[in-house]
């Protein structure tokens, strides 16, 4: 049995990721936002499916992730849950859903698990969110951290910039990563980061790191599905590798359909009841 086939048959659970890091096996993570994209992600044999608040930009056409609400996250996570059976399902906590107070933080995390079917939640931040991580893990909900470039803090960071370029910011990132691990997270996303700093964090942490624009030495990688398959026209970030051009394929198919309808070629007799 191939490794890929074995992964497709075994339900991924939170403890699997620590074992994969210990064995030096890379962890595969991909985003999904609805039932069709979740079916594709699940069928690929990916270890983890993330319902990212990036859906605000790539699925809803927003300018950033900041307008994404809890109701939106619950709605989309519920759709993804209906397709994901073997992969481990993680959902993002959106902007301000875990910053107000402990009670609201727990209520929001609970919604993603109880209403939407997530198996873990992801939240952005370093030392400033350790209390939230402790509260959520204390309630029995696994937490994935996220440091480096944090899209919810894009205004504070001054835009989508690579993090950890100087000694001071690199030290801050390492401290943040260690704090999130100490608070009880089972894994950590490191985004848009100097690859040397990402490698240092990966070496120092016992929990696995999931890189996105953070180099090859992380314990795993995550890409946004619409970037990975070329679904949306336009340029993509430097760290993205496009494995298909689905957007062009869809456009061509729809153009052919419209042409055949206008020419009276569709539907044919075989398409009639």
């Amino acid at each position: 049995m191939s490794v890929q086939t074995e992964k497709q048959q075994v339900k991924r659970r939170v403890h699997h990721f620590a074992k994969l890091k210990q064995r030096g096996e890379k962890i595969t993570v991909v985003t999904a936002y609805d039932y069709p994209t979740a079916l594709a992600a699940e069928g690929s044999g990916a270890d983890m499916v993330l319902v990212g608040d990036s859906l605000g930009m790539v699925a809803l056409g927003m300018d950033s992730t900041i307008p994404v609400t809890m109701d939106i996250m619950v709605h989309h996570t519920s759709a993804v849950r209906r397709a994901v059976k073997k992969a481990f399902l993680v959902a993002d906590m959106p902007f301000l859903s875990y910053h107000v107070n402990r009670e609201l933080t727990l209520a929001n995390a609970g919604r993603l698990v109880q209403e939407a079917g997530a198996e873990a939640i992801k939240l952005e931040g370093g030392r400033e969110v350790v209390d939230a991580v402790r509260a959520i893990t204390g309630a029995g909900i696994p937490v994935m951290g996220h440091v480096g470039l944090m899209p919810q803090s894009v205004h504070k960071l001054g835009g989508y910039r690579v993090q950890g370029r100087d000694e001071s910011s690199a030290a801050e990132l390492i401290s943040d990563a260690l704090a999130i691990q100490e608070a009880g997270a089972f894994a950590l996303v490191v985004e848009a980061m100097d690859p040397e700093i990402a490698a240092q964090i990966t070496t120092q942490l016992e929990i696995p790191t999931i890189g996105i624009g953070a180099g090859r030495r992380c314990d795993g990688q995550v890409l946004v599905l619409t970037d990975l398959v070329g679904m949306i026209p336009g340029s993509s970030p430097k760290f993205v590798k496009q494995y298909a051009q689905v957007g062009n394929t869809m456009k061509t198919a729809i153009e052919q359909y419209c042409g055949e309808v206008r020419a009276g070629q569709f539907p044919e007799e075989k398409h009639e009841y």
Side-chain angles (χ1 to χ4, degrees), residues 94-258:
F95 182 65
L96 287 184
S97 65
Y98 51 98
H99 298 87
V100 179
N101 55 52
R102 184 178 186 274
E103 290 71 25
L104 185 59
T105 294
L106 289 175
N108 287 331
R111 286 191 66 192
L112 288 171
V113 175
Q114 191 170 38
E115 293 182 39
E119 295 168 293
I121 63 91
K122 180 173 77 65
L123 51 76
E124 296 179 7
R127 285 160 289 178
E128 72 277 11
V129 300
V130 294
D131 288 341
V133 175
R134 290 193 182 103
I136 296 168
T137 57
I141 300 173
V143 172
M144 172 181 279
H146 184 148
V147 299
L149 174 62
M150 298 177 291
Q152 291 176 15
S153 301
V154 63
H155 298 315
K156 177 182 176 181
L157 296 173
Y160 297 97
R161 298 179 177 180
V162 175
Q163 305 296 299
R165 291 295 201 192
D166 58 78
E167 186 174 336
S168 175
S169 62
E172 293 288 320
L173 288 172
I174 293 171
S175 295
D176 283 339
L178 290 168
I180 294 299
Q181 173 178 263
E182 176 66 23
F186 76 93
L188 182 72
V189 169
V190 290
E191 179 171 358
M193 188 182 298
D194 184 292
E196 292 299 324
I197 305 307
Q200 288 184 43
I201 290 173
T202 300
T203 300
Q204 293 189 40
L205 293 188
E206 296 179 5
I207 62 175
T209 59
I210 307 299
I212 176 167
R216 67 185 69 180
R217 286 176 283 179
C218 297
D219 296 306
Q221 298 290 330
V222 58
L223 279 181
V224 171
L225 183 67
T226 51
D227 290 338
L228 189 159
V229 301
M231 189 175 292
I232 299 175
S235 61
S236 58
K238 179 181 179 180
F239 60 80
V240 171
K241 178 178 179 178
Q242 289 191 339
Y243 291 82
Q245 289 292 330
V246 171
N248 289 339
T249 302
M250 291 173 63
K251 178 176 176 289
T252 299
I254 296 169
E255 286 175 344
Q256 183 177 349
Y257 156 76
C258 291

Side-chain angles (χ1 to χ4, degrees), residues 70-92:
M70 276 301 304
D71 285 343
I72 290 173
M73 289 305 304
V74 168
H75 175 82
H76 284 266
T77 303
S78 298
V80 171
R81 170 78 280 171
R82 297 180 190 113
V84 172
K85 307 300 180 185
K86 300 294 186 183
F88 190 74
L89 181 58
V90 182
D92 265 341

